[in-house]
Structure formats: C-alpha cells, structure tokens
Amino acid sequence: MLHVTNLGCARGGAAVLRDVSFDLRAGQALILRGPNGVGKTTLLRTLAGLQPALSGDVTMPEESAAYASHADGIKTALTVTENLRFWAEVYGLTFDAAILRRFDLADLRDRQGGTLSAGQKRRLGLARLAVIGRKILFLDEPTVSLDTGSVAMFARWLQDSHLAQGGIAVIATHIDLGIDAPALDLTPFKSAPGTGGGTDEAFL
C-alpha cells in the first residue's frame, strides 16, 4: 500500500536526505530513527505530499493518508466531543463516541479544548486520528507531552486498532512505543552538506 523508491528530500532549499526506499503493506509500521536534524520531519512531510520531493517516487492510494505533527489540531472554543465530531464530519464520517473511552477522554467530553492540559490536548489530537478513517498515518513525535500511561494507551490503539485493521504508520519518535515495527535509521541517507536543489518552502 505504501511504496517509497529512491526518495530525495529537502528543507529550506538544501537537500537533506537521498535514496530513501522502503515498502509497507497493510498492518505494518515503520519507526524512523536518527539524531535531531537528520530529516525525520522532512521525510514525513514529503511522504504526506506537503512539500515536493527532490527525486524518487511515493506510491499509495489516493486520499488514504494523514499527517500529524506537534500541533494538536484542536479548536479551543469547541468541546472535546465537538472537536472529534468536527474532524469526523470533515472526512465524511460519523463520530463514534467509543473513541472517547479509548483515549481516556470520556470524563472530559464537555470540556472546551482551550481548558485542557498539554497532555489532555495531545490525547485529543491523537483521538482525532481515530475518527478520520485514513489508512496511512505519518506521525511526527506523536507522544510529546504524554505521560507513560498515555503513551501505552496510544500504542495499544495503534497496534490493536489501526494496524490490526489493515492500517499503516510511519512514525518519527525517540521513545520505544512497544509496537511490533522495524526501525529505519536515516543517518546513512543524509545528503552531503551544501547540496542544493530544494525549494525554500515554509517549514510548518
């Protein structure tokens, strides 16, 4: 379902990664590893189509992917339930209230997004991924601001629901999520310093 061949990526007008290749089938995940600045976020953004590739190909079904960054993607004036219903409807789906329990949000269902703690906002942002129906998830440090229990809760959803139901995930993270997934160290794919060729895009 996700086929990546000789992909080259750039950030701020400079090449960052070259010749990245991998294949993922339904039910598989890949963990991106490497030091800060190696290009994990750049790779995820390129895979998601948010910035052009320098070279290579990314093949996946149309309208199948979603990208989640450090931003939680919530509306502060809406309640927890209203936020999730909003995102489900954006993707043409019906909101399932069972997601509230899955992400430990049931007691917060009527709280406005702006009144939540950082960890609660993060759980709400991750619950958003469960209501949009996208099979391929590109996740950039998804567990930022989460405590140990919440990390485990998210990993269970990822393994037991998303992947078990035929989903795919590519995840940049420095922590062990405890899911059954190989790791890809991006260090060997770094481009030579000073290599140009990329567009000078905004990095959001």
Side-chain angles (χ1 to χ4, degrees):
M1 289 183 67
L2 176 60
H3 183 62
V4 180
T5 308
N6 298 325
L7 192 65
C9 307
R11 178 177 63 236
V16 175
L17 296 170
R18 56 177 174 76
D19 299 329
V20 178
S21 298
F22 60 85
D23 291 303
L24 293 174
R25 299 187 304 274
Q28 294 184 323
L30 180 69
I31 306 296
L32 302 180
R33 300 290 195 195
N36 291 335
V38 75
K40 297 185 294 295
T41 296
T42 300
L43 175 58
L44 289 172
R45 287 173 52 85
T46 305
L47 292 172
L50 298 177
Q51 60 188 64
L54 287 180
S55 58
D57 294 295
V58 178
T59 304
M60 59 183 159
E62 290 187 9
E63 303 297 325
S64 64
Y67 169 76
S69 66
H70 296 181
D72 296 313
I74 65 175
K75 306 290 185 180
T76 58
L78 299 182
T79 67
V80 167
T81 299
E82 289 169 342
N83 265 282
L84 294 177
R85 183 175 290 115
F86 166 81
W87 281 110
E89 291 176 353
V90 164
Y91 285 80
L93 299 174
T94 300
F95 167 62
D96 182 356
I99 295 299
L100 293 168
R101 295 189 298 275
R102 194 66 192 263
F103 286 83
D104 193 22
L105 295 168
D107 291 341
L108 303 171
R109 66 176 69 224
D110 296 322
R111 285 269 301 273
Q112 286 187 318
T115 69
L116 302 176
S117 69
Q120 291 167 340
K121 287 178 180 177
R122 195 59 174 172
R123 294 207 310 276
L124 177 54
L126 294 175
R128 176 172 53 107
L129 300 174
V131 303
I132 62 176
R134 291 300 170 101
K135 284 293 188 180
I136 302 176
L137 300 180
F138 300 117
L139 308 177
D140 191 3
E141 297 290 349
T143 58
V144 169
S145 300
L146 293 184
D147 57 29
T148 302
S150 295
V151 170
M153 178 179 59
F154 169 69
R156 284 194 299 272
W157 171 80
L158 191 64
Q159 183 81 68
D160 299 342
S161 292
H162 180 70
L163 298 177
Q165 295 172 11
I168 287 174
V170 183
I171 311 160
T173 180
H174 292 285
I175 70 170
D176 182 7
L177 293 175
I179 65 173
D180 182 17
L184 177 64
D185 184 355
L186 295 182
T187 305
F189 301 97
K190 287 182 62 176
S191 294
T195 306
T199 57
D200 191 14
E201 76 285 341
F203 199 71
L204 301 177

